[in-house]
Amino acid sequence: MDSQNRTARRGSTLVAGLLIPMYIHAANQAPSAKAEPQSQASQSVQPQVDKRTADAALQKQRELMAEAQSAIAETEKALKALDEKRNRDALAALASATGTLELLLARSPKLALAPIRTDVVTHDLLARNDTVKAAVKEVRDRLRDGEVQKARQLMQALASEVEFRTLNIPLETYPAAIKAITPLIDAGKIEEAKTALRTMLNTLVVTTEVVPLPKLRAEEQIKAAQALAEKANRSKEENDKLAQSVAAARDQLKIAELLGYGDKKDYKPMYQQIDELDKKTAGGKSGMGWFEKLKQQLAAWM
């Protein structure tokens, strides 16, 4: 899913407590509005969008490291052993975790984060352009009036994206932290050792990759339109579907722009390309290569 990787917005944070495994789909509603019906063209590409999201999630799962998962399991085993006053078993588990991570670093010395789990969260905004525009205006009005918390609550609905949240072991600090705990156990400082182990498990690193859904939908609309545009002697129904797909791609770009995805300067040339496509495909005209520039713009966008 290369195009999705290019759209990613990456970041990391430390979290207190492990994440619960999840695959969540949240149908966001714009403030003061019910979920609105989507166009037939938008609904027609949803299976392709769902497949791309599922494929990306599967790829993330393939990137998880068994060694890192094993190290976490051994750390948890050590903590359980200490709770049960089995100090020797705890030391053996920590030695196993350390050895596993050292082997991982020996193979990949530049590796900073070792992924152990990826959770997928989808926020889908079911609203038309004018509704989204009104919602964004309402947020700005709230902020202007100093109503920050009300604006924050409204902002939560203004997202249309898939988040891939990956839990990682920080390899720069985790192995050293394990080694620092072993002397505590040897010295009989079991409560200190248990506290240190819990701290390690509660400060794993979460990296987040965000993929805007309007981008995926615009790309799928363009694929559908291109297939029709390259067909000679189209029927009236096919001409209508072609026009609807191009219009739906434009609508998705407008939603993305309103939601603040990507650089604002990138939108104008894409709108211009869509206007050109309207002219080229009007009256049943067909041709090859008409969509390549727009596809390149979409691929490079964000």
Side-chain angles (χ1 to χ4, degrees), residues 52-91:
R52 290 179 64 176
T53 301
D55 288 347
L58 181 60
Q59 180 58 37
K60 291 290 182 185
Q61 292 298 319
R62 289 176 180 146
E63 293 170 0
L64 301 182
M65 296 185 171
E67 297 92 339
Q69 293 171 329
S70 174
I72 292 294
E74 290 296 326
T75 304
E76 292 172 340
K77 186 189 296 184
L79 183 57
K80 186 174 186 294
L82 290 178
D83 283 336
E84 297 172 354
K85 303 186 185 305
R86 294 184 288 109
N87 295 357
R88 187 171 297 178
D89 291 342
L91 288 170

Side-chain angles (χ1 to χ4, degrees), residues 31-46:
S32 305
K34 295 180 180 180
E36 297 173 334
Q38 302 301 291
S39 69
Q40 186 174 353
S42 293
Q43 294 178 36
S44 68
V45 299
Q46 192 57 45

Side-chain angles (χ1 to χ4, degrees), residues 38 42 213-214 217-218 247-257:
Q38 302 301 291
S42 293
L213 284 168
R217 289 179 175 135
R250 182 188 288 108
D251 285 343
Q252 288 301 316
L253 288 179
K254 287 181 179 178
I255 288 176
E257 184 178 13

Side-chain angles (χ1 to χ4, degrees), residues 94-107:
L94 291 177
S96 175
T98 301
T100 298
L101 292 177
E102 286 178 347
L103 284 174
L104 181 58
L105 282 168
R107 291 203 308 268

Side-chain angles (χ1 to χ4, degrees), residues 15-22 72 76 116-117 119 167-168 198 200-206:
V15 293
L18 299 182
L19 295 178
I20 299 173
M22 64 179 80
I72 292 294
E76 292 172 340
I116 61 173
R117 189 179 72 242
D119 299 326
L167 192 63
N168 305 268
R198 292 190 185 102
M200 284 171 50
L201 290 171
N202 290 343
T203 55
L204 300 178
V205 176
V206 176

